[in-house]
Amino acid sequence: MNDLRNPLQHALGLGSAKEGVNHWWRQRITAVALFFLGLWFMALVLMLMHGDYTSVRAALADPLNAVLMLVFIIALFWHMQLGLQVVIEDYVHTRWLGVVLQIAVRFYAVLAALLAALAVLRIALGR
């Protein structure tokens, strides 16, 4: 049967679009931050490529490198969560499965970021 309703009728009740711009900006800001932090990370890896374990620990114990690594970790997992959120919203059409996947992705991102940050802090504080 043909549906003769106005296309606006299909969109009513689906929620407001007020969050979309903030999500877009957060994704772009984390992408720009990851670009510059990625350059720093690559330079650090190249400098430490032939170093031993002690030199790597000493480099991460430097306060500047420790802070930059923590910011890199936070931006990386935040950007990952934002990107996977968009993928789930676009391609998972079963409502309950989308909600479960969103919760799982957010839980994983927070847990992985905390574990990585804990590892950096343990190295930086010498424990």
Side-chain angles (χ1 to χ4, degrees):
M1 177 147 204
N2 287 337
D3 193 3
L4 299 176
R5 290 186 294 173
N6 187 328
L8 177 63
Q9 194 68 23
H10 293 288
L12 291 178
L14 294 179
S16 69
K18 295 176 186 167
E19 284 295 313
V21 173
N22 290 333
H23 185 277
W24 185 87
W25 271 111
R26 279 182 266 154
Q27 199 167 21
R28 295 318 177 267
I29 289 170
T30 55
V32 170
L34 282 172
F35 175 76
F36 292 110
L37 289 167
L39 292 175
W40 164 81
F41 182 74
M42 291 299 291
L44 182 68
V45 167
L46 290 174
M47 284 188 330
L48 297 172
M49 191 171 356
H50 298 294
D52 59 347
Y53 180 71
T54 308
S55 63
V56 173
R57 281 191 69 133
L60 283 179
D62 177 36
L64 177 65
N65 285 336
V67 168
L68 287 175
M69 184 64 78
L70 289 173
V71 173
F72 181 67
I73 289 167
I74 291 167
L76 181 72
F77 285 104
W78 193 6
H79 187 75
M80 177 206 73
Q81 186 268 325
L82 291 170
L84 286 175
Q85 178 181 344
V86 171
V87 170
I88 292 168
E89 289 170 352
D90 288 347
Y91 295 107
V92 177
H93 301 295
T94 307
R95 180 75 180 145
W96 69 268
L97 183 59
V99 171
V100 168
L101 288 173
Q102 292 284 8
I103 292 169
V105 164
R106 190 158 297 180
F107 178 76
Y108 172 77
V110 169
L111 182 65
L114 286 174
L115 289 173
L118 177 65
V120 170
L121 288 174
R122 286 189 64 181
I123 291 171
L125 298 176
R127 296 180 184 221

